[in-house]
Amino acid sequence: MRVRLSGFVLASLALVAPALSAADRPPQDLHLVGDHWTAWDPPTPPEDAQVHVIQRGDTLWDLAARFYGDPYLWPQLWERNQYILDAHWIYPGDPLVLGPQVAPVDRLSEETAPGGETPETPAEPGEGVLTSAQAAGSPVPLGAESDIYCSGYIGEMAEEFPYSIIGSEHGKVLPELGIAGRAENMDARFGPVGTAKFDLSAGDIIYLDGGRARGLSPGTLFTAVEPLQPVIHPLTKQVVGRYYHYTGRVRVLSVQEDTAIAEIVHSCDPVHVGTALQPFEPEPVPLGRPTAMRPVNFPARTEELQDAPVVLFAKDEVLSLFEDHVVFIDRGADQDVTPGDVFTIYRLNRRGLPPIVLGELAVLSVHRNSAVARIIEARHPIYVGDRLDPK
């Protein structure tokens, strides 16, 4: 079972038993250990250990009652985890070694062997009891393939493409198009097209403006690319490029001397006659381990975010962004951004107040000066122009 480490707000530090006299104040030397804030230096648990990852609201008193059957056995739990220097303060995210074959009391087998003895087979570990490998967490995909293959990229204002779609089975073949326009200006540019089906999708047969003479061969895959609007930087107000949207994927079926017959094998949005094609490049979805978001009461300093990356663009001009939305950021391979990088999202506050922690995003695909990212957590609506800080 994978446990998502959440609730890492230091205001939720768990006290020990009510019967204990709490320390007057918590330790002051908090530091970031892996994915959470703590005053201690937790070691890596042994490989064969059963581990409970401390959650918001946990106490040694309650955990001893849960796993040992007696809250007054909390010192045994403390003894197994001597990195905790003050038992009054435990921190969400720290690992707590429980000992061999521990199970919550309400999960222990009620059956007994003859003579009143307990069975020799120990009970299975209950909910919340993990091995050290499980406590570390298995990597999970940071997005979906569609987040990459149905997004696009921000490129130069006028990019050249090797091939384009010049017709389909549903209408007559058009003259050489280059980069196609929208439906409303097709007639103005090329005359009546006579197309019975303008919005093409998966399974439709299409014709390409290149064949054997230009090196095409059956089986070649292309990405269908539709040039859309210029992208304006939200802070500098300068045009940084054009948004090129991926609308689908095309596979060549057969080639003639100067043309080719192909099939749309995947469509994200309608594919149009005139759409440009570029060679398809497979990209794996990056993996990562879910970790706690930056504590809201320990944000980055305002001056650290003045020249920070920003959320640059959201397709379909969505204004309020939340979890699972795909966005573009204004940093890419030239700025050493790589797939799998995670950024904390901030919004600058009024003068004199600290930045607001909004959420997190994970980078999925990288281009020269921009990258495709997915918002993986959001506390508030996120807007184009919000700042980013590497996690």
Side-chain angles (χ1 to χ4, degrees):
M1 181 183 69
R2 180 174 64 84
V3 173
R4 183 182 181 189
L5 309 182
S6 61
F8 287 65
V9 181
L10 298 183
S12 68
L13 300 180
L15 298 177
V16 190
L20 301 176
S21 58
D24 291 337
R25 54 187 304 181
Q28 301 299 303
D29 54 343
L30 299 180
H31 54 282
L32 195 62
V33 174
D35 54 19
H36 65 283
W37 291 82
T38 178
W40 316 130
D41 295 305
T44 301
E47 290 186 3
D48 59 347
Q50 294 186 34
V51 178
H52 171 75
V53 178
I54 296 172
Q55 303 292 312
R56 179 176 181 175
D58 280 350
T59 70
L60 293 184
W61 175 271
D62 293 335
L63 293 175
R66 177 181 176 187
F67 295 113
Y68 295 164
D70 186 344
Y72 287 96
L73 296 180
W74 69 264
Q76 294 186 23
L77 194 55
W78 188 19
E79 169 133 15
R80 291 186 183 275
N81 299 272
Q82 296 186 17
Y83 72 88
I84 300 174
L85 303 183
D86 185 340
H88 295 97
W89 301 98
I90 60 175
Y91 294 78
D94 278 353
L96 208 62
V97 174
L98 303 175
Q101 296 300 335
V102 175
V105 171
D106 57 3
R107 296 282 184 113
L108 292 174
S109 173
E110 296 180 355
E111 298 179 2
T112 57
E117 297 179 357
T118 57
E120 294 183 2
T121 303
E124 290 295 323
E127 183 178 355
V129 183
L130 311 174
T131 65
S132 57
Q134 290 170 325
S138 299
V140 297
L142 295 174
E145 284 191 351
S146 60
D147 294 332
I148 298 175
Y149 295 138
C150 293
S151 56
Y153 67 98
I154 297 171
E156 301 296 329
M157 287 297 296
E159 296 205 351
E160 296 184 359
F161 297 91
Y163 304 99
S164 63
I165 301 172
I166 60 173
S168 78
E169 284 188 327
H170 302 286
K172 70 179 185 180
V173 177
L174 300 182
E176 184 173 351
L177 302 181
I179 295 178
R182 292 275 196 180
E184 58 267 20
N185 62 24
M186 289 288 285
D187 286 354
R189 295 178 63 193
F190 305 113
V193 299
T195 300
K197 183 180 180 182
F198 183 77
D199 291 339
L200 305 174
S201 58
D204 285 333
I205 300 300
I206 56 176
Y207 307 112
L208 312 186
D209 64 348
R212 192 179 301 109
R214 296 178 57 191
L216 272 185
S217 59
T220 303
L221 284 172
F222 291 97
T223 298
V225 183
E226 185 174 4
L228 294 179
Q229 71 269 34
V231 176
I232 299 175
H233 197 282
L235 301 184
T236 67
K237 307 305 179 184
Q238 300 296 312
V239 175
V240 297
R242 184 182 297 279
Y243 172 50
Y244 293 85
H245 177 50
Y246 298 151
T247 58
R249 197 176 309 148
V250 170
R251 181 176 63 230
V252 176
L253 300 178
S254 63
V255 295
Q256 296 75 49
E257 186 64 22
D258 297 311
T259 59
I261 301 174
E263 178 187 10
I264 299 174
V265 294
H266 179 259
S267 57
C268 308
D269 288 306
V271 179
H272 301 136
V273 171
T275 294
L277 301 175
Q278 68 178 20
F280 171 73
E281 297 182 5
E283 291 189 65
V285 177
L287 302 178
R289 287 186 170 87
T291 60
M293 193 172 64
R294 178 83 178 225
V296 297
N297 57 328
F298 283 94
R301 293 180 294 117
T302 300
E303 50 269 28
E304 295 175 338
L305 300 176
Q306 293 300 327
D307 298 318
V310 302
V311 177
L312 175 63
F313 176 77
K315 68 175 186 176
D316 301 324
E317 299 182 347
V318 177
L319 297 180
S320 295
L321 303 163
F322 297 92
E323 290 182 19
D324 299 330
H325 274 120
V326 174
V327 299
F328 294 80
I329 67 173
D330 67 344
R331 298 290 193 277
D334 287 356
Q335 293 78 36
D336 297 324
V337 174
T338 60
D341 287 350
V342 176
F343 290 81
T344 302
I345 309 170
Y346 288 95
R347 182 167 302 141
L348 296 185
N349 212 330
R350 300 196 306 271
R351 183 183 297 274
L353 296 179
I356 302 169
V357 178
L358 300 176
E360 288 184 347
L361 59 76
V363 175
L364 303 180
S365 177
V366 175
H367 301 274
R368 281 194 56 193
N369 293 300
S370 64
V372 179
R374 177 174 173 268
I375 297 173
I376 57 177
E377 191 163 355
R379 297 179 57 248
H380 301 292
I382 293 165
Y383 305 131
V384 168
D386 284 332
R387 311 301 174 97
L388 306 172
D389 185 50
K391 187 172 182 181

